Amino acid sequence: MPFSLNDEMMREIIIDHYKNPRNKEEINDNRYITIHMDSASCIDDIYLQVLIIDNKIEDMKWHGTGCTISLASTSILSTMIKDMSVDDADSLINSFNEFLLGHDESEEKLKELYAFKNVNRQPSRITCANISFRGLKEALEEYQKNEK
């Protein structure tokens, strides 16, 4: 089912996830891979906690502080990747990064992440939008390294 976001809807999605973040919670469970991401150019300081079992992302929690863009994209990511395979999550990371650089990606694939369509108008904000994606990439790599 295709959906189409106009500029106002995109702003509303970002603000909603910023004000009402999903899965923002610190977990004390050593089964989770914990990745710390921060930014030298912004206030972003985020911890991702990812539970991967049998090559499938079972859960993602996160906590920390950041700008509107980084916290909203982290919240959206945390809702999208549950029950995804490691390969599908890696594909989503790559698609979103290409999208942030201005390459075409389908709204259907990106879902709410499509709200960040205009981020590339301010290149410094790309780092904010993809901080949790870079963290998830590190978590996936750590999982794969430990599985060998």
Side-chain angles (χ1 to χ4, degrees):
M1 153 176 160
F3 70 38
S4 184
L5 298 175
N6 62 37
D7 286 349
E8 181 61 29
M9 291 167 68
M10 288 189 281
R11 278 190 295 278
E12 287 176 13
I13 288 168
I14 291 170
I15 295 300
D16 178 50
H17 276 274
Y18 174 71
K19 289 183 176 179
N20 306 295
R22 281 50 153 201
N23 301 304
K24 188 175 183 185
E25 174 185 353
E26 186 172 355
I27 296 292
N28 187 12
D29 183 334
N30 62 6
R31 297 177 305 150
Y32 283 72
I33 297 168
T34 300
I35 302 293
H36 177 230
M37 300 298 293
D38 61 357
S39 172
S41 62
C42 194
I43 63 169
D44 302 334
D45 189 19
I46 298 171
Y47 290 83
L48 301 180
Q49 295 182 281
V50 185
L51 178 62
I52 305 172
I53 299 173
D54 295 331
N55 216 36
K56 181 177 157 191
I57 299 172
E58 297 290 334
D59 193 21
M60 179 181 143
K61 302 293 187 202
W62 63 278
H63 61 280
T65 58
C67 67
T68 302
I69 298 296
S70 67
L71 297 185
S73 67
T74 302
S75 175
I76 293 169
L77 176 64
S78 74
T79 64
M80 287 185 68
I81 64 166
K82 285 186 183 174
D83 298 323
M84 263 191 191
S85 71
V86 168
D87 289 342
D88 287 345
D90 192 51
S91 176
L92 178 65
I93 292 166
N94 294 333
S95 293
F96 187 61
N97 285 328
E98 289 295 313
F99 177 69
L100 290 176
L101 294 174
H103 300 211
D104 287 336
E105 291 292 336
S106 76
E107 287 181 65
E108 193 168 330
K109 179 175 186 172
L110 294 177
K111 299 181 169 94
E112 287 185 307
L113 290 171
Y114 201 81
F116 297 94
K117 178 182 180 189
N118 298 323
V119 165
N120 65 8
R121 292 181 184 168
Q122 296 177 299
S124 63
R125 303 300 290 194
I126 291 172
T127 301
C128 301
N130 78 4
I131 190 167
S132 58
F133 289 79
R134 289 182 285 119
L136 178 60
K137 183 84 162 177
E138 283 186 30
L140 298 180
E141 289 169 357
E142 186 173 323
Y143 170 77
Q144 290 172 328
K145 179 179 73 177
N146 292 336
E147 286 300 298
K148 291 182 178 179

